[in-house]
Amino acid sequence: MVIVGIKNNKTKGAREKKPSKESIKVLNDFKGQSASITPHAPYTVSKELFKLIKKYSDNKKNLLSIHNQECEDENKFYRYKLGGFNDLYAHLGIDITYFKPQA
């Protein structure tokens, strides 16, 4: 099983409207094998992109898989938008303003 985890483009942020051409290409490179396009994590794709991935999955044989809250900092970020992940995204220059905490 090959999982192609995607996230919003660093510069486009929440405006991304579809899985990237690169994601589709990687998926196609594994034709004949079990492969899926899936969000990387709930906070790395916008609501719009998540919906597009879901729609893609509904129309194709595409397993959705997502990792979530694998460490305490990730848990703090996911639940309260606090902790070291804010510093990480700021350092990487990634706009994460679209993400709403889920506590």
XYZ file of all heavy atoms in Angstrom:
834
model
N 0.841 -1.176 0.000
C 0.000 0.000 0.000
C 0.883 1.235 0.000
O 1.764 1.380 0.828
C -0.902 -0.029 1.231
C -1.563 1.291 1.602
S -2.689 2.010 0.421
C -4.208 1.248 0.712
N 0.646 2.122 -0.945
C 1.361 3.393 -1.039
C 0.382 4.497 -0.670
O -0.714 4.563 -1.215
C 1.893 3.633 -2.467
C 2.534 4.998 -2.585
C 2.849 2.536 -2.874
N 0.758 5.343 0.272
C -0.071 6.480 0.664
C 0.620 7.749 0.181
O 1.779 7.994 0.504
C -0.235 6.562 2.201
C -0.861 5.285 2.760
C -1.023 7.797 2.596
C -2.302 5.085 2.449
N -0.069 8.538 -0.628
C 0.454 9.819 -1.082
C -0.189 10.877 -0.196
O -1.319 11.292 -0.410
C 0.117 10.079 -2.570
C 0.685 11.420 -3.017
C 0.639 8.950 -3.440
N 0.518 11.267 0.865
C -0.004 12.273 1.790
C 0.196 13.654 1.212
O 1.289 14.011 0.809
N -0.881 14.431 1.144
C -0.754 15.775 0.589
C -1.127 16.810 1.633
O -1.801 16.530 2.607
C -1.589 15.960 -0.702
C -3.085 15.848 -0.424
C -1.169 14.964 -1.750
C -3.926 16.198 -1.626
N -0.648 18.013 1.404
C -0.977 19.139 2.269
C -1.105 20.370 1.395
O -0.726 20.363 0.224
C 0.088 19.321 3.342
C 1.491 19.426 2.818
C 2.476 19.330 3.964
C 3.871 19.320 3.398
N 4.723 18.325 3.902
N -1.669 21.438 1.957
C -1.816 22.664 1.196
C -0.449 23.207 0.802
O 0.516 23.100 1.543
C -2.570 23.729 1.994
C -4.053 23.516 1.922
O -4.617 22.914 2.816
N -4.680 23.962 0.870
N -0.419 23.779 -0.379
C 0.787 24.406 -0.894
C 1.215 25.545 0.019
O 0.394 26.314 0.495
C 0.498 24.925 -2.308
C 1.681 25.553 -2.962
O 2.106 26.635 -2.569
N 2.215 24.897 -3.954
N 2.505 25.649 0.260
C 3.069 26.670 1.165
C 2.618 28.085 0.796
O 2.306 28.878 1.654
C 4.595 26.566 1.114
C 5.324 27.549 1.979
C 6.814 27.302 1.892
C 7.604 28.360 2.626
N 9.028 28.118 2.555
N 2.549 28.378 -0.486
C 2.218 29.742 -0.882
C 0.727 29.928 -1.146
O 0.202 31.007 -0.973
C 2.996 30.147 -2.148
O 2.742 29.181 -3.172
C 4.477 30.205 -1.867
N 0.031 28.870 -1.528
C -1.390 28.997 -1.828
C -2.259 28.838 -0.590
O -3.385 29.294 -0.556
C -1.815 27.961 -2.879
C -1.191 28.195 -4.238
C -1.656 27.152 -5.215
C -0.972 27.315 -6.561
N -1.305 26.236 -7.466
N -1.746 28.161 0.439
C -2.500 27.993 1.674
C -3.865 27.391 1.436
O -4.028 26.451 0.688
N -4.871 27.968 2.050
C -6.225 27.421 1.996
C -6.893 27.635 0.642
O -7.979 27.146 0.417
C -7.071 28.054 3.097
N -6.241 28.334 -0.273
C -6.850 28.597 -1.582
C -6.709 27.441 -2.551
O -7.279 27.466 -3.625
C -6.225 29.850 -2.198
C -6.478 31.100 -1.353
C -5.719 32.267 -1.894
N -4.298 31.993 -1.716
C -3.322 32.541 -2.428
N -3.597 33.393 -3.362
N -2.070 32.248 -2.201
N -5.960 26.437 -2.196
C -5.751 25.296 -3.083
C -7.090 24.639 -3.398
O -7.910 24.432 -2.522
C -4.810 24.292 -2.426
C -4.161 23.403 -3.427
C -2.709 23.155 -3.098
O -2.178 23.735 -2.160
O -2.131 22.352 -3.816
N -7.326 24.318 -4.662
C -8.637 23.849 -5.081
C -8.691 22.369 -5.470
O -9.762 21.844 -5.711
C -9.134 24.679 -6.276
C -9.250 26.159 -5.964
C -10.295 26.424 -4.910
C -10.460 27.899 -4.648
N -10.978 28.195 -3.343
N -7.551 21.708 -5.576
C -7.554 20.300 -5.963
C -6.240 19.670 -5.543
O -5.265 20.369 -5.280
C -7.753 20.161 -7.464
C -6.641 20.799 -8.279
C -6.916 20.704 -9.759
C -5.796 21.400 -10.515
N -5.989 21.369 -11.941
N -6.223 18.328 -5.465
C -4.928 17.680 -5.226
C -3.948 18.117 -6.315
O -4.318 18.266 -7.478
C -5.256 16.193 -5.327
C -6.710 16.101 -4.989
C -7.315 17.376 -5.545
N -2.721 18.350 -5.943
C -1.734 18.874 -6.888
C -1.436 17.894 -8.015
O -1.626 16.684 -7.882
C -0.437 19.208 -6.153
O 0.185 18.004 -5.725
N -0.950 18.438 -9.120
C -0.528 17.599 -10.246
C 0.553 16.624 -9.802
O 0.594 15.487 -10.249
C -0.014 18.472 -11.398
C -1.085 19.263 -12.084
C -0.495 20.140 -13.177
C -1.567 21.025 -13.777
N -1.047 21.986 -14.725
N 1.419 17.087 -8.898
C 2.489 16.220 -8.398
C 1.912 15.030 -7.629
O 2.394 13.908 -7.766
C 3.454 17.000 -7.496
C 4.256 18.069 -8.216
C 3.507 19.396 -8.350
O 2.405 19.548 -7.776
O 4.010 20.287 -9.049
N 0.870 15.267 -6.825
C 0.240 14.177 -6.073
C -0.372 13.153 -7.020
O -0.213 11.942 -6.838
C -0.847 14.722 -5.143
O -0.304 15.582 -4.198
N -1.074 13.638 -8.041
C -1.686 12.741 -9.028
C -0.598 11.970 -9.773
O -0.730 10.765 -10.009
C -2.566 13.527 -10.021
C -3.695 14.252 -9.290
C -3.106 12.621 -11.113
C -4.740 13.381 -8.654
N 0.510 12.640 -10.120
C 1.601 11.963 -10.821
C 2.183 10.843 -9.967
O 2.403 9.736 -10.453
C 2.703 12.948 -11.203
C 3.839 12.257 -11.974
C 5.029 13.158 -12.176
C 6.178 12.473 -12.862
N 6.550 11.171 -12.375
N 2.444 11.129 -8.681
C 2.993 10.102 -7.799
C 2.012 8.931 -7.704
O 2.405 7.764 -7.796
C 3.313 10.671 -6.397
C 3.659 9.557 -5.421
C 4.464 11.658 -6.482
N 0.740 9.232 -7.555
C -0.268 8.167 -7.510
C -0.220 7.332 -8.785
O -0.221 6.097 -8.735
C -1.657 8.771 -7.311
C -2.798 7.773 -7.205
C -2.704 6.988 -5.904
C -4.133 8.490 -7.286
N -0.157 7.997 -9.936
C -0.119 7.282 -11.219
C 1.162 6.473 -11.392
O 1.159 5.444 -12.072
C -0.302 8.262 -12.377
C -1.724 8.780 -12.457
O -2.667 8.119 -12.014
N -1.883 9.973 -13.000
N 2.258 6.918 -10.775
C 3.513 6.160 -10.846
C 3.374 4.786 -10.200
O 4.151 3.879 -10.497
C 4.653 6.924 -10.151
C 5.134 8.122 -10.955
O 4.798 8.232 -12.152
O 5.852 8.957 -10.373
N 2.402 4.632 -9.320
C 2.191 3.365 -8.626
C 0.977 2.609 -9.154
O 0.453 1.738 -8.476
C 2.062 3.610 -7.117
C 3.353 3.993 -6.479
C 3.690 5.326 -6.312
C 4.251 3.020 -6.074
C 4.900 5.683 -5.731
C 5.464 3.369 -5.499
C 5.786 4.702 -5.333
N 0.539 2.944 -10.367
C -0.583 2.221 -10.976
C -0.315 0.728 -10.947
O 0.798 0.281 -11.152
C -0.783 2.688 -12.411
C -1.702 3.862 -12.533
C -2.506 3.738 -13.801
C -3.385 4.865 -14.124
N -4.135 5.562 -13.239
N -1.356 -0.022 -10.662
C -1.205 -1.464 -10.557
C -0.928 -1.918 -9.139
O -1.011 -3.092 -8.822
N -0.583 -0.971 -8.283
C -0.376 -1.258 -6.866
C -1.480 -0.551 -6.081
O -2.143 0.341 -6.586
C 0.982 -0.738 -6.397
C 2.155 -1.376 -7.108
C 3.463 -0.813 -6.595
O 3.651 -0.697 -5.400
N 4.347 -0.455 -7.497
N -1.672 -0.950 -4.863
C -2.636 -0.280 -4.001
C -2.053 1.061 -3.580
O -1.027 1.112 -2.906
C -2.919 -1.167 -2.787
O -3.856 -0.553 -1.952
N -2.673 2.153 -3.994
C -2.166 3.493 -3.682
C -3.342 4.437 -3.460
O -4.403 4.267 -4.050
C -1.276 4.007 -4.805
N -3.144 5.440 -2.612
C -4.198 6.413 -2.301
C -3.632 7.812 -2.164
O -2.494 7.985 -1.751
C -4.877 6.057 -0.968
O -5.563 4.852 -1.039
N -4.465 8.798 -2.491
C -4.178 10.186 -2.151
C -4.947 10.464 -0.877
O -6.141 10.183 -0.780
C -4.629 11.143 -3.262
C -3.764 10.961 -4.492
C -4.591 12.584 -2.777
C -4.135 11.850 -5.644
N -4.276 10.999 0.124
C -4.900 11.208 1.420
C -4.306 12.442 2.092
O -3.163 12.801 1.807
C -4.724 9.933 2.293
O -5.531 10.037 3.441
C -3.297 9.682 2.642
N -5.072 13.122 2.950
C -4.504 14.268 3.663
C -3.363 13.822 4.573
O -3.412 12.727 5.135
C -5.673 14.790 4.510
C -6.884 14.109 4.011
C -6.458 12.868 3.324
N -2.365 14.654 4.730
C -1.269 14.338 5.645
C -1.774 14.325 7.084
O -1.584 13.364 7.807
C -0.136 15.351 5.478
C 0.886 15.263 6.551
N 0.927 16.171 7.582
C 1.867 14.381 6.788
C 1.901 15.839 8.401
N 2.490 14.750 7.938
N -2.410 15.391 7.499
C -2.946 15.532 8.859
C -4.101 16.525 8.790
O -4.194 17.309 7.840
C -1.857 16.031 9.816
N -4.993 16.551 9.778
C -6.152 17.438 9.704
C -5.795 18.919 9.641
O -6.565 19.723 9.141
C -6.945 17.125 10.975
C -6.083 16.302 11.835
C -4.982 15.742 11.000
N -4.625 19.292 10.127
C -4.243 20.699 10.138
C -3.357 21.083 8.959
O -2.948 22.227 8.832
C -3.534 21.054 11.455
C -2.430 20.085 11.797
C -1.169 20.219 11.248
C -2.685 19.014 12.644
C -0.172 19.317 11.532
C -1.686 18.106 12.941
C -0.436 18.256 12.385
O 0.541 17.352 12.662
N -3.042 20.153 8.064
C -2.184 20.489 6.922
C -2.961 20.596 5.616
O -2.359 20.847 4.572
C -1.041 19.464 6.748
O -1.590 18.171 6.549
C -0.106 19.473 7.946
N -4.253 20.405 5.672
C -5.101 20.641 4.499
C -6.260 21.535 4.918
O -6.772 21.423 6.026
C -5.645 19.335 3.868
C -4.544 18.516 3.243
C -6.445 18.520 4.842
N -6.648 22.409 4.030
C -7.803 23.254 4.306
C -9.072 22.412 4.235
O -9.075 21.300 3.688
C -7.877 24.386 3.279
O -8.116 23.838 1.982
N -10.139 22.955 4.780
C -11.429 22.276 4.721
C -11.810 22.000 3.260
O -12.315 20.929 2.924
C -12.481 23.152 5.395
C -13.816 22.516 5.576
C -14.760 23.517 6.251
C -15.628 22.830 7.250
N -16.536 23.766 7.924
N -11.544 22.974 2.394
C -11.875 22.839 0.972
C -11.088 21.697 0.317
O -11.633 20.904 -0.433
C -11.620 24.151 0.229
C -12.539 25.284 0.646
C -12.129 25.963 1.953
O -10.991 25.741 2.448
O -12.961 26.711 2.493
N -9.772 21.641 0.605
C -8.966 20.581 0.008
C -9.365 19.220 0.577
O -9.419 18.234 -0.152
C -7.471 20.842 0.227
C -6.511 19.859 -0.449
C -6.771 19.736 -1.951
C -5.071 20.271 -0.192
N -9.672 19.166 1.857
C -10.132 17.909 2.457
C -11.396 17.421 1.750
O -11.537 16.235 1.433
C -10.388 18.093 3.956
C -10.399 16.793 4.710
C -9.307 16.421 5.471
C -11.493 15.945 4.658
C -9.299 15.216 6.162
C -11.493 14.746 5.351
C -10.390 14.387 6.100
N -12.328 18.332 1.479
C -13.563 17.969 0.768
C -13.251 17.447 -0.640
O -13.881 16.499 -1.109
C -14.506 19.159 0.687
C -15.180 19.485 1.997
C -16.084 20.700 1.837
C -16.737 21.073 3.148
N -17.575 22.287 3.015
N -12.292 18.085 -1.316
C -11.914 17.633 -2.662
C -11.280 16.246 -2.629
O -11.537 15.417 -3.512
C -10.974 18.641 -3.316
C -11.659 19.931 -3.745
C -10.621 21.016 -4.012
C -12.531 19.702 -4.966
N -10.457 15.979 -1.618
C -9.864 14.643 -1.479
C -10.966 13.618 -1.216
O -10.970 12.541 -1.793
C -8.807 14.624 -0.357
C -7.618 15.515 -0.732
C -8.336 13.195 -0.095
C -6.686 15.800 0.420
N -11.925 13.984 -0.374
C -13.060 13.097 -0.087
C -13.850 12.822 -1.361
O -14.201 11.683 -1.660
C -13.955 13.736 0.980
C -15.322 13.138 1.113
C -15.369 12.062 2.147
C -16.767 11.606 2.489
N -17.497 10.880 1.500
N -14.121 13.872 -2.130
C -14.847 13.709 -3.399
C -14.055 12.804 -4.351
O -14.622 11.924 -4.992
C -15.088 15.082 -4.034
C -15.901 15.052 -5.288
C -16.135 16.475 -5.797
C -16.857 16.463 -7.122
N -17.037 17.815 -7.657
N -12.750 13.024 -4.429
C -11.886 12.176 -5.255
C -11.993 10.723 -4.795
O -12.116 9.807 -5.599
C -10.441 12.672 -5.163
C -9.460 11.853 -5.974
C -9.251 12.126 -7.317
C -8.747 10.814 -5.386
C -8.359 11.381 -8.062
C -7.855 10.061 -6.128
C -7.666 10.344 -7.464
O -6.785 9.586 -8.195
N -12.002 10.520 -3.485
C -12.088 9.168 -2.928
C -13.441 8.523 -3.208
O -13.520 7.315 -3.429
C -11.844 9.193 -1.420
O -10.539 9.631 -1.157
N -14.488 9.321 -3.179
C -15.825 8.794 -3.465
C -15.953 8.318 -4.902
O -16.717 7.403 -5.193
C -16.894 9.855 -3.189
C -17.083 10.143 -1.706
O -16.590 9.355 -0.865
O -17.716 11.172 -1.395
N -15.212 8.947 -5.807
C -15.307 8.621 -7.235
C -14.251 7.630 -7.699
O -14.278 7.203 -8.849
C -15.188 9.902 -8.070
C -16.340 10.841 -7.813
O -17.471 10.414 -7.631
N -16.058 12.124 -7.767
N -13.312 7.292 -6.863
C -12.221 6.390 -7.229
C -12.050 5.356 -6.123
O -12.622 5.469 -5.053
C -10.913 7.173 -7.376
C -10.998 8.393 -8.257
C -10.183 8.225 -9.478
C -10.097 9.501 -10.277
N -11.078 9.648 -11.296
N -11.214 4.390 -6.394
C -10.858 3.427 -5.358
C -9.696 4.039 -4.581
O -8.537 3.846 -4.912
C -10.440 2.114 -6.036
C -10.604 0.915 -5.185
C -10.329 -0.322 -6.014
C -10.615 -1.538 -5.191
N -10.416 -2.746 -5.960
N -10.009 4.822 -3.558
C -9.004 5.619 -2.853
C -9.257 5.548 -1.354
O -10.200 6.137 -0.842
C -9.077 7.075 -3.326
C -7.911 7.901 -2.854
O -6.786 7.712 -3.321
N -8.139 8.832 -1.950
N -8.424 4.821 -0.643
C -8.525 4.709 0.808
C -8.095 6.001 1.466
O -7.053 6.556 1.133
C -7.634 3.564 1.288
C -7.499 3.391 2.791
C -8.806 2.861 3.370
C -6.359 2.442 3.117
N -8.903 6.528 2.377
C -8.513 7.703 3.151
C -7.827 7.259 4.429
O -8.333 6.408 5.152
C -9.734 8.552 3.508
C -10.255 9.465 2.437
C -11.484 10.227 2.923
C -9.206 10.446 1.974
N -6.682 7.832 4.690
C -5.917 7.543 5.899
C -5.305 8.860 6.349
O -4.853 9.650 5.528
C -4.816 6.530 5.577
O -3.958 6.377 6.667
N -5.301 9.104 7.660
C -4.775 10.373 8.145
C -4.122 10.157 9.506
O -4.647 9.417 10.336
C -5.901 11.426 8.221
C -5.347 12.816 8.462
C -6.955 11.058 9.238
C -6.349 13.918 8.188
N -2.962 10.733 9.704
C -2.338 10.597 11.015
C -2.766 11.783 11.870
O -3.099 12.848 11.380
C -0.815 10.471 10.890
C -0.067 11.752 10.993
N 0.537 12.149 12.148
C 0.164 12.725 10.102
C 1.120 13.322 11.949
N 0.906 13.687 10.717
N -2.788 11.565 13.168
C -3.295 12.597 14.043
C -2.751 12.420 15.459
O -2.736 11.311 15.983
C -4.828 12.533 14.066
C -5.441 13.709 14.765
O -4.920 14.806 14.723
N -6.553 13.477 15.412
N -2.322 13.505 16.044
C -1.958 13.581 17.447
C -0.972 12.485 17.877
O -1.234 11.727 18.798
C -3.222 13.567 18.304
C -4.077 14.801 18.055
C -5.467 14.681 18.619
O -6.353 14.209 17.935
N -5.649 15.123 19.849
N 0.165 12.447 17.212
C 1.180 11.431 17.501
C 2.151 11.837 18.607
O 2.968 11.038 19.017
C 1.944 11.079 16.224
C 1.045 10.406 15.198
C 1.759 10.088 13.905
O 2.852 10.628 13.658
O 1.207 9.291 13.137
N 2.080 13.083 19.054
C 2.919 13.527 20.169
C 2.167 14.613 20.933
O 1.142 15.130 20.472
C 4.268 14.050 19.664
S 4.163 15.563 18.693
N 2.666 14.974 22.101
C 1.969 15.952 22.940
C 1.854 17.314 22.258
O 0.817 17.972 22.334
C 2.661 16.086 24.297
C 1.886 16.936 25.287
C 0.443 16.489 25.535
O 0.169 15.274 25.504
O -0.422 17.367 25.743
N 2.917 17.770 21.567
C 2.836 19.053 20.871
C 1.780 19.025 19.770
O 1.064 20.007 19.561
C 4.195 19.449 20.272
C 4.951 20.428 21.149
O 4.323 21.064 22.025
O 6.161 20.575 20.936
N 1.690 17.910 19.058
C 0.673 17.796 18.016
C -0.727 17.799 18.645
O -1.657 18.411 18.116
C 0.887 16.526 17.192
C -0.022 16.437 15.993
C 0.280 15.279 15.081
O 0.947 14.305 15.517
O -0.147 15.331 13.921
N -0.881 17.145 19.773
C -2.155 17.129 20.482
C -2.557 18.550 20.905
O -3.694 18.964 20.712
C -2.057 16.212 21.702
C -3.384 16.012 22.370
O -4.402 15.783 21.710
N -3.402 16.084 23.687
N -1.599 19.302 21.459
C -1.877 20.687 21.861
C -2.280 21.540 20.667
O -3.189 22.366 20.752
C -0.648 21.312 22.527
C -0.376 20.842 23.916
C 0.880 21.524 24.453
C 1.295 20.934 25.776
N 2.571 21.504 26.239
N -1.578 21.335 19.573
C -1.892 22.114 18.378
C -3.275 21.756 17.854
O -4.091 22.640 17.567
C -0.831 21.896 17.294
C -1.069 22.744 16.086
C -0.740 24.092 16.106
C -1.621 22.206 14.940
C -0.975 24.891 14.993
C -1.859 23.000 13.825
C -1.539 24.352 13.853
N -3.559 20.484 17.717
C -4.835 20.037 17.174
C -6.005 20.489 18.050
O -7.024 20.944 17.559
C -4.848 18.515 17.025
C -6.129 17.991 16.428
C -6.390 18.133 15.070
C -7.087 17.373 17.220
C -7.573 17.682 14.519
C -8.273 16.913 16.674
C -8.509 17.070 15.323
O -9.677 16.630 14.778
N -5.837 20.383 19.360
C -6.941 20.692 20.268
C -7.084 22.182 20.578
O -8.206 22.677 20.703
C -6.787 19.908 21.552
C -6.883 18.388 21.273
C -6.939 17.562 22.495
N -8.246 17.786 23.138
C -8.434 17.662 24.438
N -7.445 17.325 25.229
N -9.624 17.866 24.946
N -5.944 22.890 20.702
C -6.010 24.280 21.178
C -5.252 25.280 20.299
O -5.248 26.468 20.602
C -5.448 24.372 22.599
C -6.037 23.349 23.530
C -5.264 22.286 23.981
C -7.358 23.427 23.939
C -5.793 21.328 24.841
C -7.901 22.473 24.784
C -7.116 21.420 25.231
O -7.646 20.478 26.065
N -4.570 24.792 19.274
C -3.700 25.607 18.419
C -2.614 26.288 19.248
O -2.298 27.458 19.088
C -4.500 26.613 17.599
C -3.790 27.005 16.308
C -4.690 27.787 15.401
C -3.990 28.108 14.108
N -4.860 28.850 13.214
N -2.032 25.513 20.166
C -0.943 25.970 21.022
C 0.259 25.057 20.844
O 0.156 23.984 20.258
C -1.377 25.937 22.497
C -2.540 26.835 22.901
C -2.961 26.540 24.334
C -2.187 28.301 22.727
N 1.414 25.478 21.352
C 2.590 24.619 21.372
C 3.551 24.861 20.224
O 3.426 25.808 19.448
N 4.511 23.963 20.118
C 5.628 24.094 19.196
C 5.277 24.040 17.717
O 6.048 24.501 16.884
N 4.131 23.489 17.355
C 3.766 23.425 15.941
C 3.555 24.812 15.357
O 3.843 25.031 14.180
C 2.519 22.551 15.742
C 2.830 21.080 15.612
C 3.561 20.420 16.579
C 2.394 20.358 14.515
C 3.849 19.075 16.466
C 2.678 19.003 14.390
C 3.416 18.359 15.365
N 3.081 25.763 16.161
C 2.965 27.146 15.677
C 4.330 27.695 15.293
O 4.478 28.339 14.250
C 2.321 28.038 16.750
C 0.851 27.767 16.893
O 0.113 27.833 15.923
N 0.423 27.455 18.101
N 5.336 27.437 16.133
C 6.702 27.879 15.830
C 7.237 27.204 14.575
O 7.893 27.843 13.751
C 7.638 27.584 17.006
C 7.249 28.343 18.266
O 6.634 29.431 18.149
O 7.543 27.839 19.367
N 6.951 25.911 14.433
C 7.398 25.169 13.247
C 6.840 25.788 11.974
O 7.578 26.069 11.031
C 6.978 23.698 13.353
C 7.202 22.854 12.097
C 8.693 22.691 11.808
C 6.524 21.501 12.245
N 5.533 26.006 11.933
C 4.923 26.572 10.728
C 5.390 27.994 10.465
O 5.588 28.380 9.314
C 3.399 26.464 10.781
C 2.958 25.044 10.553
C 2.402 24.286 11.574
C 3.145 24.438 9.315
C 2.034 22.965 11.373
C 2.789 23.124 9.103
C 2.235 22.396 10.127
O 1.887 21.096 9.924
N 5.591 28.784 11.515
C 6.129 30.134 11.335
C 7.533 30.062 10.739
O 7.863 30.796 9.796
C 6.143 30.877 12.666
N 8.367 29.160 11.270
C 9.731 28.992 10.767
C 9.741 28.566 9.290
O 10.572 29.021 8.511
C 10.479 27.968 11.618
C 11.843 27.644 11.113
N 12.921 28.497 11.287
C 12.318 26.566 10.427
C 13.998 27.958 10.720
N 13.655 26.789 10.200
N 8.799 27.706 8.922
C 8.721 27.223 7.538
C 8.014 28.206 6.612
O 7.978 28.004 5.402
C 7.998 25.869 7.496
C 8.704 24.714 8.217
C 7.799 23.480 8.246
C 10.046 24.399 7.558
N 7.442 29.263 7.187
C 6.735 30.254 6.369
C 5.414 29.736 5.826
O 4.971 30.157 4.765
N 4.783 28.835 6.560
C 3.531 28.235 6.108
C 2.366 28.895 6.832
O 2.341 28.983 8.053
C 3.530 26.712 6.360
C 4.619 26.055 5.510
C 2.164 26.109 6.059
C 4.816 24.579 5.794
N 1.394 29.366 6.039
C 0.199 29.987 6.585
C -0.740 28.894 7.100
O -1.239 28.079 6.337
C -0.495 30.802 5.494
C -1.779 31.440 5.964
O -2.059 31.473 7.181
O -2.537 31.911 5.084
N -0.982 28.880 8.387
C -1.835 27.866 9.013
C -3.076 28.519 9.619
O -3.800 27.903 10.414
C -1.011 27.052 10.039
C -1.686 25.742 10.442
C -0.670 27.872 11.256
C -1.621 24.692 9.397
N -3.361 29.768 9.227
C -4.481 30.499 9.820
C -5.826 29.833 9.564
O -6.765 30.034 10.341
C -4.531 31.954 9.325
O -4.604 31.956 7.900
C -3.312 32.727 9.789
N -5.947 29.061 8.494
C -7.225 28.403 8.193
C -7.579 27.310 9.192
O -8.748 26.949 9.335
C -7.236 27.821 6.781
C -6.187 26.741 6.553
C -6.446 25.433 6.895
C -4.960 27.061 6.003
C -5.490 24.453 6.697
C -4.006 26.090 5.813
C -4.273 24.791 6.152
O -3.313 23.832 5.965
N -6.583 26.772 9.907
C -6.861 25.662 10.819
C -7.537 26.161 12.096
O -7.073 27.092 12.739
C -5.577 24.908 11.181
C -5.821 23.798 12.179
C -6.512 22.665 11.797
C -5.411 23.919 13.489
C -6.781 21.657 12.709
C -5.664 22.915 14.414
C -6.356 21.781 14.028
N -8.643 25.520 12.449
C -9.373 25.834 13.678
C -9.188 24.683 14.652
O -9.423 23.522 14.295
C -10.867 26.027 13.390
C -11.169 27.049 12.312
C -10.795 28.442 12.745
C -11.141 29.453 11.685
N -10.099 30.329 11.317
N -8.798 24.966 15.910
C -8.604 23.886 16.888
C -9.896 23.100 17.104
O -10.982 23.619 16.926
C -8.162 24.623 18.145
C -8.332 26.057 17.904
C -8.568 26.280 16.454
N -9.734 21.839 17.506
C -10.854 20.915 17.593
C -11.189 20.463 19.003
O -11.772 19.403 19.192
C -10.555 19.694 16.707
C -10.197 20.022 15.282
C -11.323 20.704 14.544
O -12.450 20.247 14.578
N -11.027 21.808 13.874
N -10.838 21.239 20.026
C -11.136 20.839 21.413
C -12.609 20.972 21.719
O -13.330 21.710 21.145
C -10.315 21.667 22.396
